Amino acid sequence: MLTGFVLFYVGAVLVLNGLWMLGRIEDREIVVINLVTACVSGAVVIHDAFGSGADATSIRNATLSLLFCTTYLWVAYNRLIKVDGRGLGWFSLFVAITALPVAARGFWQAGSVAEHWMAANWLFWAVLWFSYFLLLAAQLPIKRQVAWVTLITGITTGWVPGFLMIEGVL
């Protein structure tokens, strides 16, 4: 259930960040959903890493989830202090590179449709975070394309599956 909880808010923040990048939401206003999602995912990270049931698997999950949490905190911070995001761009490259072997391991070990889907999500997230690197650190003029990829990835890897998980459908 915690996965659905986090994915739902990851979907919300990615959809809204995509809309923000398309100019539909102001810089200062986007801070709220990024902080909320960072707090939600951060609470799950703390639970998974330090809770009474913590084990190697939950700590691995917490480690990987903290990549997302850090991203959303960084977006909020960048909007508050009004910087160009190059540091976040380089961090995004780190996330993208990390996500590739996570996706590969997921495909290699997948024994169910749900596990294949999660592995595919890691591949999509690697592409998304790499696009943030290209936009922010390499400063390529691809903001509109990245905005659409962010929005679509938010719907397909976060919002819809997260909603279906919290509703007990998945």
Side-chain angles (χ1 to χ4, degrees), residues 149-163:
V149 172
T150 301
L151 201 146
I152 292 166
T153 302
I155 293 168
T156 59
T157 68
W159 182 14
V160 171
F163 180 76

Side-chain angles (χ1 to χ4, degrees), residues 74 78 83-93 136-137:
W74 208 322
N78 284 355
V83 296
D84 65 8
R86 280 182 282 181
L88 176 57
W90 284 104
F91 176 73
S92 296
L93 179 61
L136 298 170

Side-chain angles (χ1 to χ4, degrees), residues 85-140:
R86 280 182 282 181
L88 176 57
W90 284 104
F91 176 73
S92 296
L93 179 61
F94 175 82
V95 175
I97 291 169
T98 302
L100 287 174
V102 174
R105 177 182 178 186
F107 283 120
W108 180 262
Q109 295 178 342
S112 68
V113 171
E115 289 170 344
H116 278 96
W117 169 79
M118 187 55 82
N121 282 352
W122 278 103
L123 191 57
F124 294 138
W125 293 328
V127 170
L128 180 62
W129 261 254
F130 185 69
S131 71
Y132 295 149
F133 163 74
L134 294 175
L135 177 68
L136 298 170
Q139 299 185 334
L140 296 181

Side-chain angles (χ1 to χ4, degrees), residues 1-15 40 114 117-118 121 125 152-170:
M1 186 61 81
L2 286 178
T3 299
F5 176 56
V6 171
L7 283 177
F8 183 80
Y9 280 93
V10 165
V13 77
L14 290 177
V15 166
V40 165
W117 169 79
M118 187 55 82
N121 282 352
W125 293 328
I152 292 166
T153 302
I155 293 168
T156 59
T157 68
W159 182 14
V160 171
F163 180 76
L164 293 174
M165 285 178 183
I166 63 172
E167 287 296 316
V169 176
L170 289 179

Side-chain angles (χ1 to χ4, degrees), residues 60-104:
R60 176 183 179 271
N61 291 342
T63 301
L64 297 172
S65 294
L66 192 54
L67 295 170
F68 292 83
C69 181
T70 302
T71 299
Y72 307 133
L73 280 174
W74 208 322
V75 169
Y77 175 78
N78 284 355
R79 298 301 31 103
L80 290 172
I81 65 165
K82 301 180 193 288
V83 296
D84 65 8
R86 280 182 282 181
L88 176 57
W90 284 104
F91 176 73
S92 296
L93 179 61
F94 175 82
V95 175
I97 291 169
T98 302
L100 287 174
V102 174

